């Protein structure tokens, strides 16, 4: 697994070479960055790999130089996790990051009942417990097989039949409540995993944005967690195809538990033409209805 960091900021066209020199001086080699011109300012977005030589501490020092020497204070950051082919082929479990390179994979909650309680007094993250079936406008699903609603996955009838046909196990289905126009409504089902995975490995990569406030003491807000990582021993007796992670994820406001899927599940989705095989978000196969599964790393 490789961690890449993309920077994005604006510079004067004339200072481009000097800015590249600052990166080099800090030991960060960047290829010819993609430059997009807009008036006198130029958008500059180098991508580089983080490793033992290019640590995040080095990057922080680089940002200080960019600010001191060029007055660059607003640096956008984005992390990418890239997996090797062997990691895809060996992973027993996958994290489903997306069911399409399109905002249409997200559906708005139309009034599901939750009980809420404060999880962290410092950053205000809330625990939520679901008290009713999910309420959505199912006409918005159109011909999508799986949509994301506030941390939960909702499947079409066709996907549910396929999961049964393929003997995928370890989940319950809860039919959603439709709220919206009658015409075009369809049955849809929340997938509720029956099992929770063991705790993930302490070796899991944790990152944060140097350009933002430091992470909250709860260890959730402001932390970018790398790929799910497990000890081999902890997963060897696993049965089933759908699981909750033991760790919380959050959407900035509410906590939820991520759903992980077995390799068999991913293969069934690809074999049955629900999605093409996608390896990473830069893969040209990642189209509007393709599913992005990231392999779980095994220690
Ligand atoms: Zn917090």
């Amino acid at each position: 697994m490789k961690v890449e960091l993309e920077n994005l900021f604006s510079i004067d066209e004339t200072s481009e070479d000097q800015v590249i020199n600052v990166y080099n001086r800090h030991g960060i080699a960047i290829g010819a960055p993609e430059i997009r011109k807009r008036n006198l300012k130029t958008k500059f977005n180098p991508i580089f790999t983080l490793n033992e030589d290019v640590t995040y501490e080095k990057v922080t020092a680089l940002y200080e130089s960019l600010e001191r020497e060029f007055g660059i204070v607003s640096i956008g950051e984005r992390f990418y996790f890239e997996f090797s082919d062997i990691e895809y082929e060996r992973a027993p479990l996958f994290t489903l990051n997306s069911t399409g390179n399109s905002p249409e994979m997200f559906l708005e909650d139309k009034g599901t009942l939750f009980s809420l309680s404060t999880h962290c007094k410092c950053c205000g993250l809330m625990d939520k417990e679901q008290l009713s079936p999910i309420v959505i406008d199912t006409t918005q699903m159109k011909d999508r097989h799986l949509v994301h609603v506030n941390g939960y996955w909702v499947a079409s009838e066709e996907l549910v039949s396929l999961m049964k046909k393929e003997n995928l196990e370890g989940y319950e289905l809860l039919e959603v409540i439709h709220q919206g126009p009658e015409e075009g409504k369809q049955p849809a089902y929340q997938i509720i995993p029956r099992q929770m995975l063991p705790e993930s490995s302490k070796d899991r990569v944790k990152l944060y944005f140097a350009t933002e406030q430091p992470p909250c003491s709860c260890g959730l807000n402001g932390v970018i967690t790398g790929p799910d990582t497990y000890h081999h021993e902890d997963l060897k007796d696993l049965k089933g195809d759908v699981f909750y992670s033991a760790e919380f994820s959050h959407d900035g406001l509410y906590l939820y538990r991520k759903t992980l899927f077995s390799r068999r599940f991913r293969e069934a989705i690809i074999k049955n033409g629900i999605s093409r095989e996608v390896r990473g978000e830069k893969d040209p196969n990642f189209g509007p209805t393709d599913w992005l599964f990231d392999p779980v790393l095994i220690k």
Side-chain angles (χ1 to χ4, degrees):
M1 194 266 299
K2 186 168 95 169
V3 183
E4 289 186 318
L5 176 58
E6 179 176 17
N7 289 160
L8 180 63
F9 51 88
S10 300
I11 50 170
D12 289 322
E13 212 178 307
T14 48
S15 54
E16 195 184 302
D17 288 345
Q18 288 144 284
V19 170
I20 292 173
N21 281 339
V22 177
Y23 276 81
N24 292 338
R25 211 172 66 218
H26 282 270
I28 300 173
I30 51 173
E34 189 186 321
I35 302 233
R36 286 180 233 129
K37 284 189 185 157
R38 188 192 281 174
N39 305 329
L40 291 171
K41 288 280 188 183
T42 294
K43 284 227 183 280
F44 190 74
N45 64 325
I47 300 183
F48 48 88
T49 302
L50 296 180
N51 53 34
E52 301 88 54
D53 296 327
V54 181
T55 61
Y56 205 54
E57 284 68 37
K58 266 199 178 171
V59 176
T60 314
L62 162 80
Y63 292 162
E64 283 163 11
S65 297
L66 289 173
E67 179 173 358
R68 204 172 46 242
E69 294 171 39
F70 298 93
I72 297 166
V73 284
S74 168
I75 300 173
E77 293 184 295
R78 183 168 177 190
F79 290 106
Y80 294 94
F81 302 104
E82 274 198 15
F83 303 93
S84 66
D85 287 341
I86 287 177
E87 285 166 337
Y88 279 97
E89 282 143 28
R90 294 203 180 148
L93 296 174
F94 288 82
T95 307
L96 182 56
N97 279 325
S98 170
T99 54
N101 194 359
S102 155
E104 290 183 0
M105 62 154 278
F106 298 101
L107 242 60
E108 191 193 342
D109 189 311
K110 298 276 190 184
T112 311
L113 293 178
F114 293 102
S115 76
L116 301 176
S117 56
T118 303
H119 178 83
C120 174
K121 287 202 177 81
C122 296
C123 65
L125 275 181
M126 308 274 277
D127 279 311
K128 64 175 183 181
E129 190 188 344
Q130 189 182 344
L131 301 177
S132 77
I134 286 179
V135 184
I136 52 170
D137 177 357
T138 59
T139 66
Q140 297 296 312
M141 283 182 76
K142 298 175 190 143
D143 48 10
R144 303 194 84 84
H145 292 292
L146 193 62
V147 291
H148 191 265
V149 185
N150 283 342
Y152 306 103
W153 289 112
V154 172
S156 69
E157 184 118 74
E158 194 185 334
L159 179 63
V160 166
S161 318
L162 178 89
M163 287 163 69
K164 287 180 181 155
K165 190 189 92 189
E166 293 284 344
N167 296 316
L168 299 171
E169 291 174 348
Y171 59 89
E172 280 163 33
L173 298 170
L174 182 61
E175 186 162 5
V176 305
I177 297 172
H178 168 72
Q179 171 139 331
E182 278 301 296
E183 198 183 327
K185 74 170 185 180
Q186 56 172 303
Y189 305 87
Q190 179 183 359
I191 299 177
I192 304 176
R194 281 212 194 102
Q195 301 177 74
M196 196 180 294
L197 289 169
E199 277 180 35
S200 70
S201 156
K202 301 276 176 286
D203 296 333
R204 185 177 187 186
V205 173
K206 287 204 166 119
L207 300 161
Y208 62 96
F209 291 124
T211 50
E212 292 179 7
Q213 296 204 329
C216 182
S217 56
C218 65
L220 289 164
N221 231 337
V223 179
I224 298 116
T225 43
D228 293 283
T229 306
Y230 290 94
H231 288 291
H232 171 72
E233 279 295 298
D234 289 341
L235 298 187
K236 74 179 189 340
D237 296 326
L238 216 57
K239 294 212 166 54
D241 301 285
V242 187
F243 306 90
Y244 276 130
S245 78
E247 290 76 26
F248 283 118
S249 301
H250 69 85
D251 59 9
L253 281 178
Y254 302 110
L255 300 181
Y256 66 92
R257 287 186 199 278
K258 239 178 4 189
T259 307
L260 286 90
F261 298 88
S262 67
R263 176 163 57 187
R264 224 158 66 80
F265 191 102
R266 179 176 184 262
E267 283 167 357
I269 294 302
I270 296 166
K271 186 181 76 185
N272 288 280
I274 302 282
S275 166
R276 291 183 286 183
E277 176 163 20
V278 178
R279 294 193 175 190
E281 59 188 300
K282 294 183 201 154
D283 188 331
N285 264 0
F286 186 32
T289 57
D290 294 300
W291 297 22
L292 179 65
F293 284 102
D294 281 348
V296 155
L297 301 179
I298 303 297
K299 293 275 171 191

